[in-house]
Amino acid sequence: MRKQRNISIAGYLGTFVIFVFFATLPIFLYGNNSRNIGSSYLKWYVLYWIVVSAIFIGIIAYQKHISFDVPLARLSKAAKSVAKGDFSIYLQPIHSSKNPTEIDNLFEDFNTMVAELGSTETLKNDFIANVSHEFKAPLAVIKSYANALQNNSNNSHPQTDQYIQIIIDETDKMAALITNVLKLNKIENQAIHPTMSTYNVSRQLVETTLTFESIWEAGQISLKVDIPDNLQVTADNEMINIVWQNLLSNAFKFTLAGQSVSIKAKTVADGIEVSIADTGEGMDQDTINRIFDKFYQGDTSHSQSGNGLGLALVNRIVRLMNGTISVESQVGHGSKFTVWLPDNNSDH
């Protein structure tokens, strides 16, 4: 933006210099061939055209700013909001419908596009929500019968128990997928209103980490924890717990035996910062760029243990809490996710 502004100023200055040059050139040429024009007159003549040129360029700059820069700035801001999923944006045309300009036509086309995108998004979200909800009942029935078969199995076939367990495990994965889809859909449609409270996030981090104790012990993963006592945050307790659950789950999932996972929390300007890092496989730049997209799984070798919605859900929740999340990673050197949460979300 600053570079564009500098280019614009340079253009105005260049136009000003050229305008003054050609406006005063005749008098200088005439003055060289006549002694009837005094130096005082030349000075006033040059000064006059400098002032006129400055006023002229100022009017042009003002008109460009009002007619071009301001509308495009509004359009740019609106486009960024739409990119974040806000389809309620509407750009009011600058002029009346009887005398529209190209900018007005552009605004109308933009409004039409946003309305179409909003309708498509609403249709998609309603479809996902309805289909996901309808899946829950049959999955519960399948799991119920599978559990009954497992409890009443007489081991008539050596692989019967294995097959039944596979059915139960896959049903649980499908149920988890549906739950995440519904949660993500509600957050994106602002159907979930966070319950904000100030609580001890240090305790929450420790308790959430302990739920993975069996995983890091079985995987011989070294755990490094640096969490100060009594760090306070104002947020939705249950939603933030989903953030830690997903980030820790991924950290342990992509860390091999003998490697380590570290959890650090600290107070920073205007909030707290929590980083969860592993020394696992890491990610390339293409994966980093798409890691928060829905259903995206960068490492297909772990596709059976996830559904590609965890980090998308984490990203939406953090944004809903007015926070930020970033990732640093390098192939073969692990990944680090950093979450910043503001110390006061009361105005949310």
Side-chain angles (χ1 to χ4, degrees):
M1 183 65 69
R2 181 178 297 176
K3 184 177 180 180
Q4 292 177 348
R5 187 178 297 132
N6 291 339
I7 292 175
S8 180
I9 293 174
Y12 289 133
L13 288 175
T15 304
F16 172 76
V17 171
I18 293 173
F19 192 88
V20 172
F21 174 77
F22 282 103
T24 58
L25 183 61
I27 195 66
F28 280 109
L29 292 176
Y30 179 73
N32 289 334
N33 298 318
S34 175
R35 296 181 181 179
N36 296 328
I37 299 178
S39 60
S40 177
Y41 177 82
L42 286 175
K43 291 179 181 179
W44 282 107
Y45 183 85
V46 171
L47 180 61
Y48 168 79
W49 280 109
I50 288 176
V51 173
V52 170
S53 300
I55 294 174
F56 179 72
I57 296 300
I59 293 173
I60 293 177
Y62 178 76
Q63 287 292 333
K64 176 180 177 294
H65 177 73
I66 295 299
S67 303
F68 187 77
D69 293 342
V70 172
L72 284 189
R74 286 177 55 196
L75 180 63
S76 176
K77 183 179 179 180
K80 290 177 181 178
S81 297
V82 172
K84 293 179 180 179
D86 183 2
F87 299 104
S88 64
I89 297 296
Y90 178 81
L91 291 177
Q92 184 69 35
I94 301 172
H95 305 92
S96 65
S97 58
K98 297 180 180 179
N99 188 29
T101 64
E102 289 301 320
I103 293 292
D104 295 319
N105 294 332
L106 181 61
F107 279 13
E108 287 295 339
D109 293 340
F110 179 83
N111 292 333
T112 302
M113 179 194 71
V114 172
E116 292 294 330
L117 287 174
S119 299
T120 303
E121 187 72 11
T122 300
L123 180 64
K124 182 195 72 174
N125 289 334
D126 288 344
F127 174 79
I128 291 174
N130 292 332
V131 171
S132 299
H133 183 75
E134 292 300 321
F135 274 157
K136 295 180 73 175
L139 283 174
V141 173
I142 292 172
K143 185 176 180 180
S144 177
Y145 278 108
N147 285 328
L149 288 172
Q150 190 177 50
N151 293 332
N152 297 322
S153 177
N154 56 10
N155 295 319
S156 59
H157 192 282
Q159 292 184 316
T160 298
D161 289 339
Q162 179 184 356
Y163 293 158
I164 294 174
Q165 188 59 51
I166 290 174
I167 293 174
I168 294 173
D169 291 342
E170 294 304 315
T171 303
D172 287 339
K173 290 179 183 178
M174 183 64 72
L177 170 62
I178 292 172
T179 299
N180 283 337
V181 167
L182 290 173
K183 286 180 180 177
L184 191 56
N185 188 65
K186 288 181 179 179
I187 291 176
E188 290 182 335
N189 288 301
Q190 299 180 350
I192 293 181
H193 301 286
T195 304
M196 312 301 286
S197 63
T198 301
Y199 67 94
N200 188 336
V201 73
S202 299
R203 178 181 300 174
Q204 184 184 49
L205 280 167
V206 172
E207 291 176 352
T208 306
T209 303
L210 289 175
T211 62
F212 294 91
E213 183 176 5
S214 60
I215 296 178
W216 83 63
E217 287 184 348
Q220 298 179 342
I221 297 172
S222 173
L223 184 65
K224 302 176 181 179
V225 179
D226 182 10
I227 303 175
D229 294 334
N230 202 30
L231 280 180
Q232 300 291 313
V233 68
T234 301
D236 187 302
N237 191 315
E238 294 184 2
M239 286 190 179
I240 293 300
N241 191 56
I242 294 174
V243 173
W244 310 141
Q245 286 278 355
N246 277 280
L247 293 181
L248 285 169
S249 176
N250 282 344
F252 289 118
K253 182 194 305 182
F254 293 100
T255 303
L256 303 177
Q259 295 181 331
S260 65
V261 170
S262 64
I263 308 165
K264 295 182 179 180
K266 62 181 180 180
T267 302
V268 294
D270 301 326
I272 67 159
E273 185 178 277
V274 177
S275 62
I276 298 175
D278 62 71
T279 57
E281 304 169 7
M283 298 177 285
D284 57 27
Q285 190 59 47
D286 180 63
T287 302
I288 294 173
N289 293 338
R290 301 180 59 191
I291 197 65
F292 295 115
D293 293 348
K294 288 183 287 187
F295 299 106
Y296 179 74
Q297 291 180 291
D299 183 4
T300 56
S301 65
H302 290 81
S303 59
Q304 297 300 316
S305 57
N307 48 52
L309 282 177
L311 288 177
L313 187 60
V314 164
N315 186 38
R316 299 301 194 280
I317 291 175
V318 171
R319 286 167 53 185
L320 188 64
M321 297 296 113
N322 291 329
T324 61
I325 181 169
S326 59
V327 56
E328 301 173 29
S329 187
Q330 187 177 351
V331 176
H333 293 83
S335 303
K336 177 182 178 182
F337 287 84
T338 301
V339 175
W340 173 82
L341 295 171
D343 58 8
N344 186 1
N345 263 314
S346 59
D347 60 343
H348 190 278

